[in-house]
Amino acid sequence: QGGNAVDAAVATGFALAVTLPRAGNIGGGGYMLVHIAARDGKPAQDIAIDYYGQASRHTTPDLLLDANGRPDPAKGYSMKGVAIPGTVAGLWEAHRRFGKLPWGTLLAPAIAMAEQGVILSDDEAGATAAQRKTMAHDAAAMKMFFKPDGTAYAPGERFRALDLASTLKAIAARGADGFYKGEVAGRLVASIRAGGGIIDAQDLADYRAIVSEPLWSSYRGHRIAFMPPTASGVSVAEALNILEHFPVAQAGWGSVANLHLLSETMKIVSADRRLVGGGPDWRTPTLGLASKG
């Protein structure tokens, strides 16, 4: 319709909230690397947009620990462990900078699918059904994802998400403010707090996507932009820098030699990954890990 790649990414992102709610939802977060090609005398531009979930300002070191001071999985998988959602802010930021089509136009397909329903695949129906025991603790989740009698939707059945459609309409009308402020934000906070969580209205209103330079490295002469922390781009760069020292092509895809090389490389990368999980304020050694040296 005359849009660009960012418009397509934004429209797809919101559509996934309907078609892949377990992963492509507006309650989560993500990342976007954007490359704008040089044209009309303007140089090329590359930016990284981090819209991953962020912790509430009320977070304390012991929030998710048990009585023995160890991580409690039950708390982590409860409203206490919920992060401030970043998806809407990130897609809004990308569109604000680079989008061409009207914001509401990009949300229209997702709204239509949420209202009219989508036919569930075997995979999506099975994934939702598998979470019934967990969702049973939240009446709102049960109402949205399961039938009135509590049974799961079967593959091939039509799934409608009318509450989600209402939320998407608010976002379409007011942009990011339609999610982080006003009625939707109020409902989010009320639900999180009712479940023992700590996120409040100011946490939502203060959320901002983090815009930065990509992390740069290369592989066999090809310059590559990677997403900086909190994403795992630095780990991919480190792995490629190690693999560059070995004759990968000669060994052949799927060979014992290459599988051994990959496993040993991933041991090193996985250990170093523990050092670089946080955002810029963690002062993680990303440039060192991504360097050829």
Side-chain angles (χ1 to χ4, degrees):
Q1 298 179 24
N4 58 23
V6 170
D7 288 322
V10 171
T12 301
F14 282 112
L16 287 171
V18 184
T19 62
L20 193 71
R22 72 179 190 267
N25 54 73
I26 57 174
Y31 309 96
M32 191 184 295
L33 278 174
V34 183
H35 169 74
I36 303 297
R39 61 180 300 177
D40 300 328
K42 296 181 180 179
Q45 184 180 7
D46 300 276
I47 70 166
I49 306 176
D50 178 338
Y51 49 98
Y52 201 58
Q54 297 174 10
S56 166
R57 70 189 194 287
H58 299 299
T59 303
T60 58
D62 61 350
L63 178 67
L64 303 179
L65 302 182
D66 61 21
N68 298 316
R70 296 177 179 177
D72 185 342
K75 288 183 178 179
Y77 210 62
S78 74
M79 288 294 186
K80 289 184 183 296
V82 172
I84 306 167
T87 295
V88 176
L91 298 181
W92 172 256
E93 182 68 25
H95 178 265
R96 184 182 71 81
R97 289 171 176 264
F98 304 114
K100 290 178 62 179
L101 294 176
W103 174 253
T105 300
L106 304 182
L107 277 90
I111 294 170
M113 285 192 293
E115 290 183 327
Q116 299 167 15
V118 294
I119 303 301
L120 290 180
S121 64
D122 291 5
D123 175 64
E124 194 55 43
T128 301
Q131 295 298 323
R132 189 187 184 287
K133 184 177 179 181
T134 300
M135 292 194 193
H137 298 291
D138 185 356
M142 288 297 297
K143 178 185 176 183
M144 177 166 179
F145 290 105
F146 294 86
K147 296 179 180 180
D149 64 358
T151 58
Y153 288 91
E157 291 188 320
R158 184 175 295 274
F159 171 71
R160 292 181 175 86
L162 298 182
D163 286 346
L164 176 59
S166 177
T167 299
L168 292 173
K169 287 179 179 178
I171 297 169
R174 298 183 57 213
D177 283 352
F179 184 81
Y180 295 95
K181 299 178 182 178
E183 183 179 353
V184 171
R187 290 185 178 184
L188 275 173
V189 170
S191 181
I192 292 170
R193 288 276 174 154
I198 61 174
I199 290 174
D200 64 15
Q202 185 176 335
D203 284 329
L204 289 175
D206 288 347
Y207 184 95
R208 296 291 185 275
I210 300 170
V211 179
S212 66
E213 294 290 324
L215 183 68
W216 289 94
S217 187
S218 65
Y219 182 70
R220 302 187 193 275
H222 298 281
R223 192 165 181 252
I224 304 172
F226 295 93
M227 189 72 207
T230 52
S232 305
V234 61
S235 299
V236 182
E238 181 184 12
L240 292 176
N241 288 342
I242 295 172
L243 293 172
E244 197 171 49
H245 291 274
F246 296 87
V248 176
Q250 295 176 28
W253 172 255
S255 67
V256 171
N258 268 353
L259 290 174
H260 181 214
L261 172 62
L262 284 172
S263 64
E264 293 298 328
T265 299
M266 291 308 297
K267 286 180 185 178
I268 298 170
V269 172
S270 296
D272 288 343
R273 170 70 177 139
R274 300 173 188 272
L275 300 172
V276 295
D281 53 321
W282 282 33
R283 298 186 179 88
T284 54
T286 50
L287 294 180
L289 289 174
S291 72
K292 294 298 179 182

